[in-house]
PDB file of all heavy atoms in Angstrom:
ATOM      1  N   ALA X   1      -1.928 -26.322   0.079  1.00  0.00           N
ATOM      2  CA  ALA X   1      -0.664 -26.724   0.699  1.00  0.00           C
ATOM      3  C   ALA X   1       0.034 -25.447   1.146  1.00  0.00           C
ATOM      4  O   ALA X   1       0.814 -24.849   0.389  1.00  0.00           O
ATOM      5  CB  ALA X   1       0.203 -27.506  -0.273  1.00  0.00           C
ATOM      6  N   PRO X   2      -0.235 -24.969   2.369  1.00  0.00           N
ATOM      7  CA  PRO X   2       0.340 -23.697   2.830  1.00  0.00           C
ATOM      8  C   PRO X   2       1.858 -23.730   2.858  1.00  0.00           C
ATOM      9  O   PRO X   2       2.481 -24.768   3.085  1.00  0.00           O
ATOM     10  CB  PRO X   2      -0.238 -23.552   4.248  1.00  0.00           C
ATOM     11  CG  PRO X   2      -1.471 -24.391   4.251  1.00  0.00           C
ATOM     12  CD  PRO X   2      -1.157 -25.556   3.354  1.00  0.00           C
ATOM     13  N   GLY X   3       2.431 -22.567   2.624  1.00  0.00           N
ATOM     14  CA  GLY X   3       3.884 -22.462   2.641  1.00  0.00           C
ATOM     15  C   GLY X   3       4.318 -21.024   2.786  1.00  0.00           C
ATOM     16  O   GLY X   3       3.539 -20.157   3.202  1.00  0.00           O
ATOM     17  N   VAL X   4       5.562 -20.766   2.428  1.00  0.00           N
ATOM     18  CA  VAL X   4       6.115 -19.413   2.489  1.00  0.00           C
ATOM     19  C   VAL X   4       6.758 -19.081   1.150  1.00  0.00           C
ATOM     20  O   VAL X   4       7.333 -19.955   0.503  1.00  0.00           O
ATOM     21  CB  VAL X   4       7.152 -19.267   3.624  1.00  0.00           C
ATOM     22  CG1 VAL X   4       6.478 -19.369   4.989  1.00  0.00           C
ATOM     23  CG2 VAL X   4       8.260 -20.305   3.493  1.00  0.00           C
ATOM     24  N   PRO X   5       6.679 -17.818   0.720  1.00  0.00           N
ATOM     25  CA  PRO X   5       7.394 -17.418  -0.497  1.00  0.00           C
ATOM     26  C   PRO X   5       8.896 -17.606  -0.302  1.00  0.00           C
ATOM     27  O   PRO X   5       9.417 -17.482   0.807  1.00  0.00           O
ATOM     28  CB  PRO X   5       7.035 -15.943  -0.650  1.00  0.00           C
ATOM     29  CG  PRO X   5       5.741 -15.778   0.093  1.00  0.00           C
ATOM     30  CD  PRO X   5       5.842 -16.727   1.257  1.00  0.00           C
ATOM     31  N   GLU X   6       9.580 -17.876  -1.378  1.00  0.00           N
ATOM     32  CA  GLU X   6      11.025 -18.138  -1.306  1.00  0.00           C
ATOM     33  C   GLU X   6      11.777 -17.006  -0.622  1.00  0.00           C
ATOM     34  O   GLU X   6      12.725 -17.241   0.132  1.00  0.00           O
ATOM     35  CB  GLU X   6      11.567 -18.354  -2.713  1.00  0.00           C
ATOM     36  CG  GLU X   6      13.021 -18.755  -2.761  1.00  0.00           C
ATOM     37  CD  GLU X   6      13.490 -19.010  -4.181  1.00  0.00           C
ATOM     38  OE1 GLU X   6      13.429 -18.063  -4.994  1.00  0.00           O
ATOM     39  OE2 GLU X   6      13.884 -20.146  -4.480  1.00  0.00           O
ATOM     40  N   GLN X   7      11.343 -15.761  -0.828  1.00  0.00           N
ATOM     41  CA  GLN X   7      12.032 -14.616  -0.241  1.00  0.00           C
ATOM     42  C   GLN X   7      11.274 -14.014   0.941  1.00  0.00           C
ATOM     43  O   GLN X   7      11.487 -12.856   1.288  1.00  0.00           O
ATOM     44  CB  GLN X   7      12.275 -13.550  -1.316  1.00  0.00           C
ATOM     45  CG  GLN X   7      13.229 -13.991  -2.405  1.00  0.00           C
ATOM     46  CD  GLN X   7      14.568 -14.462  -1.841  1.00  0.00           C
ATOM     47  OE1 GLN X   7      15.173 -13.772  -1.009  1.00  0.00           O
ATOM     48  NE2 GLN X   7      15.026 -15.635  -2.282  1.00  0.00           N
ATOM     49  N   GLY X   8      10.400 -14.802   1.559  1.00  0.00           N
ATOM     50  CA  GLY X   8       9.727 -14.341   2.758  1.00  0.00           C
ATOM     51  C   GLY X   8       8.318 -13.833   2.489  1.00  0.00           C
ATOM     52  O   GLY X   8       7.963 -13.506   1.359  1.00  0.00           O
ATOM     53  N   ILE X   9       7.531 -13.740   3.560  1.00  0.00           N
ATOM     54  CA  ILE X   9       6.133 -13.346   3.427  1.00  0.00           C
ATOM     55  C   ILE X   9       5.994 -11.933   2.887  1.00  0.00           C
ATOM     56  O   ILE X   9       4.975 -11.576   2.288  1.00  0.00           O
ATOM     57  CB  ILE X   9       5.409 -13.483   4.790  1.00  0.00           C
ATOM     58  CG1 ILE X   9       3.884 -13.493   4.598  1.00  0.00           C
ATOM     59  CG2 ILE X   9       5.840 -12.393   5.751  1.00  0.00           C
ATOM     60  CD1 ILE X   9       3.347 -14.691   3.872  1.00  0.00           C
ATOM     61  N   ALA X  10       7.015 -11.090   3.056  1.00  0.00           N
ATOM     62  CA  ALA X  10       6.965  -9.721   2.549  1.00  0.00           C
ATOM     63  C   ALA X  10       6.858  -9.669   1.030  1.00  0.00           C
ATOM     64  O   ALA X  10       6.491  -8.631   0.470  1.00  0.00           O
ATOM     65  CB  ALA X  10       8.190  -8.928   3.004  1.00  0.00           C
ATOM     66  N   ALA X  11       7.160 -10.774   0.365  1.00  0.00           N
ATOM     67  CA  ALA X  11       7.038 -10.806  -1.092  1.00  0.00           C
ATOM     68  C   ALA X  11       5.592 -10.647  -1.539  1.00  0.00           C
ATOM     69  O   ALA X  11       5.339 -10.194  -2.663  1.00  0.00           O
ATOM     70  CB  ALA X  11       7.618 -12.111  -1.633  1.00  0.00           C
ATOM     71  N   VAL X  12       4.646 -11.015  -0.679  1.00  0.00           N
ATOM     72  CA  VAL X  12       3.230 -10.881  -1.047  1.00  0.00           C
ATOM     73  C   VAL X  12       2.825  -9.410  -1.146  1.00  0.00           C
ATOM     74  O   VAL X  12       2.349  -8.967  -2.204  1.00  0.00           O
ATOM     75  CB  VAL X  12       2.326 -11.644  -0.062  1.00  0.00           C
ATOM     76  CG1 VAL X  12       0.852 -11.452  -0.431  1.00  0.00           C
ATOM     77  CG2 VAL X  12       2.675 -13.125  -0.056  1.00  0.00           C
ATOM     78  N   PRO X  13       2.982  -8.596  -0.074  1.00  0.00           N
ATOM     79  CA  PRO X  13       2.629  -7.183  -0.225  1.00  0.00           C
ATOM     80  C   PRO X  13       3.512  -6.454  -1.237  1.00  0.00           C
ATOM     81  O   PRO X  13       3.059  -5.502  -1.883  1.00  0.00           O
ATOM     82  CB  PRO X  13       2.808  -6.611   1.185  1.00  0.00           C
ATOM     83  CG  PRO X  13       3.698  -7.575   1.896  1.00  0.00           C
ATOM     84  CD  PRO X  13       3.358  -8.904   1.322  1.00  0.00           C
ATOM     85  N   ALA X  14       4.765  -6.877  -1.399  1.00  0.00           N
ATOM     86  CA  ALA X  14       5.623  -6.241  -2.399  1.00  0.00           C
ATOM     87  C   ALA X  14       5.035  -6.432  -3.796  1.00  0.00           C
ATOM     88  O   ALA X  14       5.030  -5.507  -4.620  1.00  0.00           O
ATOM     89  CB  ALA X  14       7.039  -6.816  -2.328  1.00  0.00           C
ATOM     90  N   GLN X  15       4.523  -7.625  -4.063  1.00  0.00           N
ATOM     91  CA  GLN X  15       3.895  -7.875  -5.354  1.00  0.00           C
ATOM     92  C   GLN X  15       2.616  -7.049  -5.513  1.00  0.00           C
ATOM     93  O   GLN X  15       2.358  -6.461  -6.571  1.00  0.00           O
ATOM     94  CB  GLN X  15       3.568  -9.366  -5.511  1.00  0.00           C
ATOM     95  CG  GLN X  15       2.980  -9.733  -6.846  1.00  0.00           C
ATOM     96  CD  GLN X  15       2.490 -11.171  -6.896  1.00  0.00           C
ATOM     97  OE1 GLN X  15       1.298 -11.442  -6.849  1.00  0.00           O
ATOM     98  NE2 GLN X  15       3.438 -12.109  -6.967  1.00  0.00           N
ATOM     99  N   LEU X  16       1.801  -6.987  -4.472  1.00  0.00           N
ATOM    100  CA  LEU X  16       0.568  -6.194  -4.525  1.00  0.00           C
ATOM    101  C   LEU X  16       0.884  -4.716  -4.730  1.00  0.00           C
ATOM    102  O   LEU X  16       0.155  -3.997  -5.433  1.00  0.00           O
ATOM    103  CB  LEU X  16      -0.235  -6.389  -3.244  1.00  0.00           C
ATOM    104  CG  LEU X  16      -0.798  -7.786  -2.985  1.00  0.00           C
ATOM    105  CD1 LEU X  16      -1.421  -7.853  -1.602  1.00  0.00           C
ATOM    106  CD2 LEU X  16      -1.814  -8.167  -4.046  1.00  0.00           C
ATOM    107  N   ALA X  17       1.971  -4.244  -4.108  1.00  0.00           N
ATOM    108  CA  ALA X  17       2.370  -2.845  -4.274  1.00  0.00           C
ATOM    109  C   ALA X  17       2.772  -2.566  -5.717  1.00  0.00           C
ATOM    110  O   ALA X  17       2.454  -1.504  -6.270  1.00  0.00           O
ATOM    111  CB  ALA X  17       3.504  -2.509  -3.315  1.00  0.00           C
ATOM    112  N   ARG X  18       3.479  -3.503  -6.342  1.00  0.00           N
ATOM    113  CA  ARG X  18       3.861  -3.317  -7.744  1.00  0.00           C
ATOM    114  C   ARG X  18       2.624  -3.250  -8.637  1.00  0.00           C
ATOM    115  O   ARG X  18       2.544  -2.435  -9.559  1.00  0.00           O
ATOM    116  CB  ARG X  18       4.779  -4.451  -8.197  1.00  0.00           C
ATOM    117  CG  ARG X  18       6.180  -4.385  -7.606  1.00  0.00           C
ATOM    118  CD  ARG X  18       7.144  -5.287  -8.372  1.00  0.00           C
ATOM    119  NE  ARG X  18       6.718  -6.681  -8.363  1.00  0.00           N
ATOM    120  CZ  ARG X  18       7.038  -7.556  -7.430  1.00  0.00           C
ATOM    121  NH1 ARG X  18       7.777  -7.168  -6.382  1.00  0.00           N
ATOM    122  NH2 ARG X  18       6.633  -8.808  -7.506  1.00  0.00           N
ATOM    123  N   THR X  19       1.651  -4.108  -8.338  1.00  0.00           N
ATOM    124  CA  THR X  19       0.409  -4.101  -9.111  1.00  0.00           C
ATOM    125  C   THR X  19      -0.299  -2.755  -8.982  1.00  0.00           C
ATOM    126  O   THR X  19      -0.772  -2.182  -9.972  1.00  0.00           O
ATOM    127  CB  THR X  19      -0.524  -5.228  -8.632  1.00  0.00           C
ATOM    128  OG1 THR X  19       0.121  -6.489  -8.820  1.00  0.00           O
ATOM    129  CG2 THR X  19      -1.840  -5.218  -9.407  1.00  0.00           C
ATOM    130  N   ALA X  20      -0.372  -2.237  -7.746  1.00  0.00           N
ATOM    131  CA  ALA X  20      -1.032  -0.950  -7.515  1.00  0.00           C
ATOM    132  C   ALA X  20      -0.268   0.176  -8.200  1.00  0.00           C
ATOM    133  O   ALA X  20      -0.864   1.071  -8.821  1.00  0.00           O
ATOM    134  CB  ALA X  20      -1.145  -0.690  -6.014  1.00  0.00           C
ATOM    135  N   ALA X  21       1.061   0.158  -8.109  1.00  0.00           N
ATOM    136  CA  ALA X  21       1.866   1.217  -8.727  1.00  0.00           C
ATOM    137  C   ALA X  21       1.750   1.185 -10.246  1.00  0.00           C
ATOM    138  O   ALA X  21       1.673   2.236 -10.896  1.00  0.00           O
ATOM    139  CB  ALA X  21       3.327   1.071  -8.296  1.00  0.00           C
ATOM    140  N   MET X  22       1.725  -0.006 -10.829  1.00  0.00           N
ATOM    141  CA  MET X  22       1.580  -0.124 -12.280  1.00  0.00           C
ATOM    142  C   MET X  22       0.229   0.403 -12.747  1.00  0.00           C
ATOM    143  O   MET X  22       0.099   0.897 -13.867  1.00  0.00           O
ATOM    144  CB  MET X  22       1.767  -1.585 -12.705  1.00  0.00           C
ATOM    145  CG  MET X  22       3.206  -2.085 -12.601  1.00  0.00           C
ATOM    146  SD  MET X  22       3.358  -3.852 -12.980  1.00  0.00           S
ATOM    147  CE  MET X  22       2.814  -3.874 -14.688  1.00  0.00           C
ATOM    148  N   ALA X  23      -0.769   0.331 -11.857  1.00  0.00           N
ATOM    149  CA  ALA X  23      -2.093   0.856 -12.193  1.00  0.00           C
ATOM    150  C   ALA X  23      -2.163   2.369 -12.026  1.00  0.00           C
ATOM    151  O   ALA X  23      -3.160   2.990 -12.411  1.00  0.00           O
ATOM    152  CB  ALA X  23      -3.157   0.184 -11.326  1.00  0.00           C
ATOM    153  N   GLY X  24      -1.117   2.948 -11.425  1.00  0.00           N
ATOM    154  CA  GLY X  24      -1.078   4.395 -11.270  1.00  0.00           C
ATOM    155  C   GLY X  24      -1.131   4.902  -9.853  1.00  0.00           C
ATOM    156  O   GLY X  24      -1.072   6.123  -9.629  1.00  0.00           O
ATOM    157  N   ALA X  25      -1.239   4.024  -8.864  1.00  0.00           N
ATOM    158  CA  ALA X  25      -1.293   4.470  -7.473  1.00  0.00           C
ATOM    159  C   ALA X  25       0.070   4.993  -7.037  1.00  0.00           C
ATOM    160  O   ALA X  25       1.109   4.425  -7.383  1.00  0.00           O
ATOM    161  CB  ALA X  25      -1.735   3.325  -6.563  1.00  0.00           C
ATOM    162  N   ASP X  26       0.055   6.077  -6.281  1.00  0.00           N
ATOM    163  CA  ASP X  26       1.275   6.696  -5.740  1.00  0.00           C
ATOM    164  C   ASP X  26       1.433   6.241  -4.297  1.00  0.00           C
ATOM    165  O   ASP X  26       0.669   6.654  -3.419  1.00  0.00           O
ATOM    166  CB  ASP X  26       1.150   8.222  -5.823  1.00  0.00           C
ATOM    167  CG  ASP X  26       2.361   8.950  -5.264  1.00  0.00           C
ATOM    168  OD1 ASP X  26       3.366   8.286  -4.953  1.00  0.00           O
ATOM    169  OD2 ASP X  26       2.299  10.189  -5.118  1.00  0.00           O
ATOM    170  N   ILE X  27       2.404   5.366  -4.034  1.00  0.00           N
ATOM    171  CA  ILE X  27       2.605   4.821  -2.692  1.00  0.00           C
ATOM    172  C   ILE X  27       3.711   5.604  -2.001  1.00  0.00           C
ATOM    173  O   ILE X  27       4.861   5.613  -2.465  1.00  0.00           O
ATOM    174  CB  ILE X  27       2.954   3.319  -2.759  1.00  0.00           C
ATOM    175  CG1 ILE X  27       1.831   2.552  -3.465  1.00  0.00           C
ATOM    176  CG2 ILE X  27       3.187   2.760  -1.355  1.00  0.00           C
ATOM    177  CD1 ILE X  27       2.149   1.091  -3.725  1.00  0.00           C
ATOM    178  N   ARG X  28       3.376   6.254  -0.898  1.00  0.00           N
ATOM    179  CA  ARG X  28       4.323   7.102  -0.182  1.00  0.00           C
ATOM    180  C   ARG X  28       4.612   6.489   1.192  1.00  0.00           C
ATOM    181  O   ARG X  28       3.695   6.307   2.006  1.00  0.00           O
ATOM    182  CB  ARG X  28       3.755   8.507  -0.021  1.00  0.00           C
ATOM    183  CG  ARG X  28       3.390   9.170  -1.345  1.00  0.00           C
ATOM    184  CD  ARG X  28       2.801  10.552  -1.140  1.00  0.00           C
ATOM    185  NE  ARG X  28       2.341  11.126  -2.400  1.00  0.00           N
ATOM    186  CZ  ARG X  28       1.769  12.335  -2.504  1.00  0.00           C
ATOM    187  NH1 ARG X  28       1.615  13.089  -1.405  1.00  0.00           N
ATOM    188  NH2 ARG X  28       1.364  12.780  -3.681  1.00  0.00           N
ATOM    189  N   LEU X  29       5.863   6.193   1.439  1.00  0.00           N
ATOM    190  CA  LEU X  29       6.278   5.565   2.684  1.00  0.00           C
ATOM    191  C   LEU X  29       6.725   6.612   3.687  1.00  0.00           C
ATOM    192  O   LEU X  29       7.093   7.730   3.335  1.00  0.00           O
ATOM    193  CB  LEU X  29       7.393   4.567   2.413  1.00  0.00           C
ATOM    194  CG  LEU X  29       7.089   3.488   1.363  1.00  0.00           C
ATOM    195  CD1 LEU X  29       8.305   2.604   1.139  1.00  0.00           C
ATOM    196  CD2 LEU X  29       5.872   2.664   1.764  1.00  0.00           C
ATOM    197  N   GLY X  30       6.697   6.229   4.970  1.00  0.00           N
ATOM    198  CA  GLY X  30       7.105   7.147   6.022  1.00  0.00           C
ATOM    199  C   GLY X  30       6.152   8.316   6.188  1.00  0.00           C
ATOM    200  O   GLY X  30       6.555   9.390   6.644  1.00  0.00           O
ATOM    201  N   MET X  31       4.876   8.101   5.859  1.00  0.00           N
ATOM    202  CA  MET X  31       3.862   9.156   5.941  1.00  0.00           C
ATOM    203  C   MET X  31       2.740   8.666   6.867  1.00  0.00           C
ATOM    204  O   MET X  31       1.918   7.847   6.473  1.00  0.00           O
ATOM    205  CB  MET X  31       3.296   9.471   4.561  1.00  0.00           C
ATOM    206  CG  MET X  31       4.340   9.924   3.553  1.00  0.00           C
ATOM    207  SD  MET X  31       4.853  11.632   3.823  1.00  0.00           S
ATOM    208  CE  MET X  31       3.466  12.517   3.124  1.00  0.00           C
ATOM    209  N   ARG X  32       2.737   9.164   8.092  1.00  0.00           N
ATOM    210  CA  ARG X  32       1.746   8.720   9.087  1.00  0.00           C
ATOM    211  C   ARG X  32       0.582   9.697   9.169  1.00  0.00           C
ATOM    212  O   ARG X  32       0.780  10.896   9.392  1.00  0.00           O
ATOM    213  CB  ARG X  32       2.395   8.581  10.463  1.00  0.00           C
ATOM    214  CG  ARG X  32       1.413   8.183  11.578  1.00  0.00           C
ATOM    215  CD  ARG X  32       2.131   8.052  12.908  1.00  0.00           C
ATOM    216  NE  ARG X  32       2.992   6.885  12.925  1.00  0.00           N
ATOM    217  CZ  ARG X  32       2.590   5.672  13.296  1.00  0.00           C
ATOM    218  NH1 ARG X  32       1.339   5.476  13.687  1.00  0.00           N
ATOM    219  NH2 ARG X  32       3.431   4.662  13.293  1.00  0.00           N
ATOM    220  N   ALA X  33      -0.616   9.182   8.988  1.00  0.00           N
ATOM    221  CA  ALA X  33      -1.812  10.003   9.115  1.00  0.00           C
ATOM    222  C   ALA X  33      -2.079  10.296  10.582  1.00  0.00           C
ATOM    223  O   ALA X  33      -2.032   9.394  11.426  1.00  0.00           O
ATOM    224  CB  ALA X  33      -3.013   9.297   8.500  1.00  0.00           C
ATOM    225  N   GLY X  34      -2.352  11.559  10.883  1.00  0.00           N
ATOM    226  CA  GLY X  34      -2.628  11.951  12.263  1.00  0.00           C
ATOM    227  C   GLY X  34      -4.090  12.104  12.571  1.00  0.00           C
ATOM    228  O   GLY X  34      -4.486  12.152  13.735  1.00  0.00           O
ATOM    229  N   GLY X  35      -4.939  12.176  11.554  1.00  0.00           N
ATOM    230  CA  GLY X  35      -6.371  12.326  11.774  1.00  0.00           C
ATOM    231  C   GLY X  35      -7.086  12.494  10.448  1.00  0.00           C
ATOM    232  O   GLY X  35      -6.486  12.862   9.427  1.00  0.00           O
ATOM    233  N   VAL X  36      -8.375  12.205  10.462  1.00  0.00           N
ATOM    234  CA  VAL X  36      -9.202  12.318   9.273  1.00  0.00           C
ATOM    235  C   VAL X  36     -10.418  13.182   9.606  1.00  0.00           C
ATOM    236  O   VAL X  36     -11.118  12.923  10.588  1.00  0.00           O
ATOM    237  CB  VAL X  36      -9.677  10.932   8.775  1.00  0.00           C
ATOM    238  CG1 VAL X  36     -10.600  11.078   7.566  1.00  0.00           C
ATOM    239  CG2 VAL X  36      -8.480  10.048   8.434  1.00  0.00           C
ATOM    240  N   GLY X  37     -10.653  14.204   8.806  1.00  0.00           N
ATOM    241  CA  GLY X  37     -11.815  15.070   8.981  1.00  0.00           C
ATOM    242  C   GLY X  37     -12.590  15.186   7.685  1.00  0.00           C
ATOM    243  O   GLY X  37     -12.147  14.721   6.627  1.00  0.00           O
ATOM    244  N   ARG X  38     -13.750  15.817   7.770  1.00  0.00           N
ATOM    245  CA  ARG X  38     -14.609  15.958   6.585  1.00  0.00           C
ATOM    246  C   ARG X  38     -15.226  17.348   6.602  1.00  0.00           C
ATOM    247  O   ARG X  38     -15.921  17.721   7.546  1.00  0.00           O
ATOM    248  CB  ARG X  38     -15.689  14.873   6.621  1.00  0.00           C
ATOM    249  CG  ARG X  38     -16.532  14.800   5.353  1.00  0.00           C
ATOM    250  CD  ARG X  38     -15.844  13.994   4.293  1.00  0.00           C
ATOM    251  NE  ARG X  38     -16.641  13.909   3.060  1.00  0.00           N
ATOM    252  CZ  ARG X  38     -16.210  13.407   1.932  1.00  0.00           C
ATOM    253  NH1 ARG X  38     -14.993  12.921   1.865  1.00  0.00           N
ATOM    254  NH2 ARG X  38     -16.976  13.377   0.868  1.00  0.00           N
ATOM    255  N   ARG X  39     -14.972  18.134   5.542  1.00  0.00           N
ATOM    256  CA  ARG X  39     -15.542  19.467   5.451  1.00  0.00           C
ATOM    257  C   ARG X  39     -15.981  19.736   4.021  1.00  0.00           C
ATOM    258  O   ARG X  39     -15.227  19.502   3.075  1.00  0.00           O
ATOM    259  CB  ARG X  39     -14.519  20.534   5.880  1.00  0.00           C
ATOM    260  CG  ARG X  39     -14.107  20.466   7.336  1.00  0.00           C
ATOM    261  CD  ARG X  39     -13.289  21.692   7.760  1.00  0.00           C
ATOM    262  NE  ARG X  39     -12.070  21.843   6.995  1.00  0.00           N
ATOM    263  CZ  ARG X  39     -10.926  21.240   7.305  1.00  0.00           C
ATOM    264  NH1 ARG X  39     -10.865  20.427   8.358  1.00  0.00           N
ATOM    265  NH2 ARG X  39      -9.842  21.450   6.576  1.00  0.00           N
ATOM    266  N   ASP X  40     -17.233  20.208   3.876  1.00  0.00           N
ATOM    267  CA  ASP X  40     -17.765  20.598   2.562  1.00  0.00           C
ATOM    268  C   ASP X  40     -17.649  19.466   1.540  1.00  0.00           C
ATOM    269  O   ASP X  40     -17.325  19.674   0.363  1.00  0.00           O
ATOM    270  CB  ASP X  40     -17.025  21.838   2.036  1.00  0.00           C
ATOM    271  CG  ASP X  40     -17.154  23.028   2.975  1.00  0.00           C
ATOM    272  OD1 ASP X  40     -18.238  23.167   3.590  1.00  0.00           O
ATOM    273  OD2 ASP X  40     -16.174  23.783   3.105  1.00  0.00           O
ATOM    274  N   GLY X  41     -17.921  18.245   2.014  1.00  0.00           N
ATOM    275  CA  GLY X  41     -17.911  17.107   1.102  1.00  0.00           C
ATOM    276  C   GLY X  41     -16.542  16.609   0.719  1.00  0.00           C
ATOM    277  O   GLY X  41     -16.412  15.747  -0.162  1.00  0.00           O
ATOM    278  N   ILE X  42     -15.486  17.119   1.350  1.00  0.00           N
ATOM    279  CA  ILE X  42     -14.116  16.704   1.042  1.00  0.00           C
ATOM    280  C   ILE X  42     -13.459  16.188   2.319  1.00  0.00           C
ATOM    281  O   ILE X  42     -13.580  16.791   3.384  1.00  0.00           O
ATOM    282  CB  ILE X  42     -13.292  17.875   0.472  1.00  0.00           C
ATOM    283  CG1 ILE X  42     -13.901  18.362  -0.852  1.00  0.00           C
ATOM    284  CG2 ILE X  42     -11.836  17.463   0.267  1.00  0.00           C
ATOM    285  CD1 ILE X  42     -13.835  17.339  -1.975  1.00  0.00           C
ATOM    286  N   ALA X  43     -12.734  15.064   2.202  1.00  0.00           N
ATOM    287  CA  ALA X  43     -11.990  14.523   3.338  1.00  0.00           C
ATOM    288  C   ALA X  43     -10.656  15.239   3.460  1.00  0.00           C
ATOM    289  O   ALA X  43     -10.006  15.555   2.456  1.00  0.00           O
ATOM    290  CB  ALA X  43     -11.767  13.028   3.159  1.00  0.00           C
TER     291      ALA X  43
END
């Protein structure tokens, strides 16, 4: 029965972000990647 979260669809990624942060992930906002390279086995 599809629907929407009471506080909007953004509640879904907000919950996933809390789960990731509680596991130890460092989420940094306003940080845009400009390119990805690989040298000596390190990205």
